[in-house]
Amino acid sequence: MTARTLAEAAAEAAGCTRCRLAAGRTQVVYGVGAPDADLMFIGEGPGYHEDQQGEPFVGAAGQLLTRMLGRIGLAREDVYICNVIKCRPPGNRDPLPDEIEACTPWLVEQISIVQPRLIVTLGNFATRFVLRTSRGISRLRGQVFRWQGRTVIPTLHPAAVLRGGGEGTRQFELFREDFDLIRRTLEAPPEPAAAPTPSSDASSTQLELF
Ligand code: URA
């Protein structure tokens, strides 16, 4: 079977009713960016502005993400940006485990279509999703992992950096350091070819520091 395109998958996702979040959303926020990007960012889930505009990371956290991308010579169009869950939870509450589970096939498919060399997970939810670990983001950030034949760098969620005071704080400095690591990792020669389709099966996930 030929893999479908991101546009085809997004068109189907637009009508998704796999979980309760369908009832409260303005629209599904599927993802944005280059369909063959080397670098994929995965956040948590859409907030108010994303729900309104149908695009991930367009609010204050998104502006910080865009600024950090610019710092390492990249534009939003050069990367692919998406979230663990595609619909805004009411009041921006944390996504529930069954909502994440229901949404997982969309993200797994996005990864298998885009085939990014490097995945950057923003915050705890995305990092847990990919690395299947209970370790918190503050212990994992700034490290480089191999997962399913890809490189993974967890970093802080930009909204958390802003909540912590933004520029001038230690958190901001760490966030900036992580983007320097992202740039160095992209500049390094590619690792051996990526494995085919990522799996949501925790038993097949390897958490490996190198
Ligand atoms: N926070 C996220 O995790 N994702 C978005 O798209 C926006 C804010």
Side-chain angles (χ1 to χ4, degrees), residues 29 42-51 55-62 81-85 122 157-159:
V29 181
I42 307 177
E44 180 180 318
Y48 173 80
H49 296 285
E50 290 76 22
D51 174 69
E55 184 172 327
F57 285 99
V58 290
I81 307 173
C82 60
N83 284 304
V84 172
I85 59 163
L122 300 165
H157 194 291

Side-chain angles (χ1 to χ4, degrees), residues 1-13 18 30 106 109 113:
M1 199 182 92
T2 323
R4 57 183 179 169
T5 63
L6 279 174
E8 287 164 346
E12 189 193 326
R18 290 181 194 170
Y30 182 75
W106 298 120
E109 185 180 30
I113 296 172

